[in-house]
Amino acid sequence: MRIIIVTPAVPHPFGDTAARWFYVLITELLARGHDVTALAVTEEAEERVIEAKRWLAQSEGQFQGQLTLRCHRLHVDSFALRRKWQNLLRPRSEMLQDRALIALLQGELAKGYDVLHLEQMSTGWLGLGVPRTLLNVHFFDVIDWAEKEGMTFGDHKALWQARRATRLLLHGIPNIRLLTPRLKEMAESINHDPSTHYWVVPFALNTSLYPMQPPALELVVGMIGSMHWEPSRSAAERLITRIWPRVKQSLPQAKLLIAGWNAGKYLQRYSSYPDLKLEENLAHPTEFFSQAAVMVYAPSRGSGMKVKIMEAMAYGVPVVTTWEGVEGIDYENGRECWVGETDEELAGKVCRLLDNSAERQRMGEAARRLIEERYSPRPVVDKMMAVYEQVIASSQARSPVVP
């Protein structure tokens, strides 16, 4: 197959959340002998782009297929009034305003392709009217923001635009892949046209890049996430203000580590809490996961699969979380992780794990097996290949017969 993949970030095994999946997908497709043209529409720092290219170059010897990577800097319409009008007609359609990007994509499509694979809603406008387009949805703002408190006028406007964009794109593209059944249910409630095809294919991690971590030497409760993302920030605040005091009361020797992008910026006001350490801009995830005895992630709301939960499992760090945290993961409560909802439940499970190193070891090993068996490249990309074949077949079925 020749697959054109458009992403809003460069494929990077330790980049942002979605970038990890882009890297897994692209490298696994190449390893299977498929030709991939990856068009990364990015506003990331040049250093990140160079890192991504270096990671792909390191894997090049394993590729049977051919990779063409094009990194494009997004250029939106410089005329503000026209830009606002275009976004009113087609909300969140900045990529359509970049003529060079449109020309680049059209040039690749003209060379012939089997599937146009679009990652995340922001790329969706590029696929309207293009045969054999598959839109991949990682989360829905309309879920994540539904119960947000203290919303500003700007927040309400952004949510309104997100709702409009979601509705228009789900009605405009007939092939949709979603990470979880919950997202599929939401998509079907927005567009239940029987001619639209929905598939659930989960996130995947390259487990070879996640070595099992040795048991932590100290009783460190940890959480890592991008704090500019509301679900992660709410999870950190809940852990610090509501769960951690209960743990600290039972285990005075325990320590709390909160890490991730913008941790200091958004959580500095909590720095006086006992035995709390804030870290950001980590060079590598192991800087966090090598210290954490237990990973705690309890977001108030946040749709899609939570990669930090999956990473903790891959590293063998036991997890305490809520249903929101394990959305899309086929777990058994008490085997691969502990799942609860109340502050008391969550704190109790944290204390139980901190008190029992053998249980931490067993849970970490079980979680690692789960990621390897169900959420590593081979089983997940097997499912993606089946989706591609169905996208191609459905397109052929809709095409008129030429005598």
Side-chain angles (χ1 to χ4, degrees):
M1 286 188 185
R2 180 172 186 253
I3 303 155
I4 300 174
I5 302 176
V6 183
T7 66
V10 290
H12 192 304
F14 298 107
D16 68 20
T17 297
R20 289 159 161 77
W21 159 246
F22 307 157
Y23 178 83
V24 166
L25 174 66
I26 289 169
T27 54
E28 182 68 13
L29 289 174
L30 291 167
R32 295 178 184 217
H34 302 289
D35 292 339
V36 176
T37 295
L39 176 52
V41 186
T42 178
E43 298 178 272
E44 297 164 288
E46 186 61 25
E47 181 181 359
R48 176 55 57 85
V49 175
I50 293 171
E51 286 177 0
K53 291 179 178 178
R54 187 181 301 125
W55 273 104
L56 290 168
Q58 290 174 1
S59 302
E60 197 169 0
Q62 307 168 24
F63 297 163
Q64 302 299 315
Q66 182 164 345
L67 170 65
T68 301
L69 174 64
R70 300 188 182 278
C71 299
H72 179 86
R73 296 292 179 182
L74 183 65
H75 296 286
V76 299
D77 196 326
S78 59
F79 186 51
L81 187 60
R82 185 169 55 207
R83 185 172 66 248
K84 290 180 179 179
W85 173 249
Q86 290 170 338
N87 276 324
L88 182 63
L89 294 177
R90 289 178 168 177
R92 298 189 169 186
S93 62
E94 287 80 3
M95 289 191 186
L96 284 183
Q97 301 171 26
D98 190 333
R99 295 183 180 180
L101 171 61
I102 300 300
L104 181 58
L105 178 58
Q106 289 177 342
E108 293 297 337
L109 293 171
K111 297 175 185 178
Y113 69 100
D114 292 291
V115 175
L116 173 60
H117 177 125
L118 302 177
E119 280 288 341
Q120 298 197 343
M121 300 290 285
S122 59
T123 69
W125 296 104
L126 301 175
L128 295 179
V130 180
R132 302 183 302 284
T133 291
L134 175 69
L135 176 61
N136 292 259
V137 178
H138 291 220
F139 61 90
F140 280 130
D141 287 328
V142 292
I143 294 177
D144 298 349
W145 289 40
E147 297 178 3
K148 184 178 178 181
E149 298 179 354
M151 290 178 60
T152 64
F153 173 79
D155 291 336
H156 283 289
K157 180 182 177 182
L159 180 57
W160 175 66
Q161 288 287 72
R163 285 173 173 161
R164 293 180 61 235
T166 299
R167 179 174 54 82
L168 290 168
L169 290 171
L170 291 184
H171 281 84
I173 297 179
N175 302 301
I176 311 290
R177 172 266 187 142
L178 308 107
L179 293 183
T180 71
R182 178 193 192 185
L183 295 176
K184 179 174 180 283
E185 290 174 7
M186 172 59 73
E188 289 174 328
S189 73
I190 296 170
N191 176 19
H192 49 269
D193 187 332
S195 66
T196 299
H197 305 286
Y198 298 105
W199 295 274
V200 174
V201 179
F203 200 96
L205 292 177
N206 185 339
T207 49
S208 68
L209 300 177
Y210 293 85
M212 285 280 287
Q213 296 299 295
L217 298 178
E218 295 185 283
L219 300 184
V220 176
V221 177
M223 193 206 119
I224 186 171
S226 300
M227 298 307 161
H228 54 266
W229 189 47
E230 173 67 24
S232 286
R233 188 163 67 251
S234 71
E237 291 176 337
R238 181 182 182 185
L239 173 57
I240 294 170
T241 62
R242 293 158 50 185
I243 299 171
W244 176 239
R246 291 175 166 84
V247 173
K248 191 67 174 170
Q249 184 176 13
S250 297
L251 296 169
Q253 72 274 35
K255 298 179 181 179
L256 177 60
L257 172 62
I258 306 291
W261 289 334
N262 294 307
K265 176 181 177 180
Y266 287 103
L267 303 174
Q268 190 60 40
R269 64 184 180 276
Y270 302 114
S271 59
S272 62
Y273 273 67
D275 287 319
L276 166 61
K277 183 179 180 181
L278 300 175
E279 289 190 357
E280 58 182 17
N281 303 322
L282 301 177
H284 194 277
T286 52
E287 292 184 17
F288 167 82
F289 286 107
S290 63
Q291 298 182 65
V294 178
M295 165 79 166
V296 181
Y297 191 79
S300 57
R301 196 167 182 86
S303 61
M305 298 185 75
K306 312 306 183 296
V307 176
K308 295 307 178 186
I309 294 289
M310 297 177 67
E311 285 191 315
M313 290 179 164
Y315 280 124
V317 176
V319 170
V320 176
T321 186
T322 62
W323 179 87
E324 293 275 353
V326 287
E327 178 185 347
I329 299 176
D330 293 327
Y331 69 94
E332 181 179 319
N333 201 1
R335 185 173 65 183
E336 292 91 6
C337 59
W338 278 115
V339 177
E341 297 302 327
T342 68
D343 298 335
E344 291 78 6
E345 281 182 291
L346 296 169
K349 298 306 182 186
V350 171
C351 291
R352 171 174 171 159
L353 286 169
L354 292 179
D355 272 334
N356 191 331
S357 60
E359 182 174 346
R360 293 203 303 272
Q361 182 75 17
R362 287 194 301 271
M363 182 168 284
E365 292 172 352
R368 170 72 182 203
R369 287 194 298 271
L370 177 66
I371 298 298
E372 289 179 335
E373 292 171 3
R374 301 192 186 185
Y375 306 106
S376 58
R378 180 166 294 280
V380 173
V381 177
D382 280 348
K383 294 179 180 179
M384 285 303 310
M385 293 305 304
V387 171
Y388 289 161
E389 291 168 0
Q390 292 176 67
V391 168
I392 294 168
S394 64
S395 177
Q396 292 170 343
R398 287 193 297 266
S399 300
V401 177
V402 179

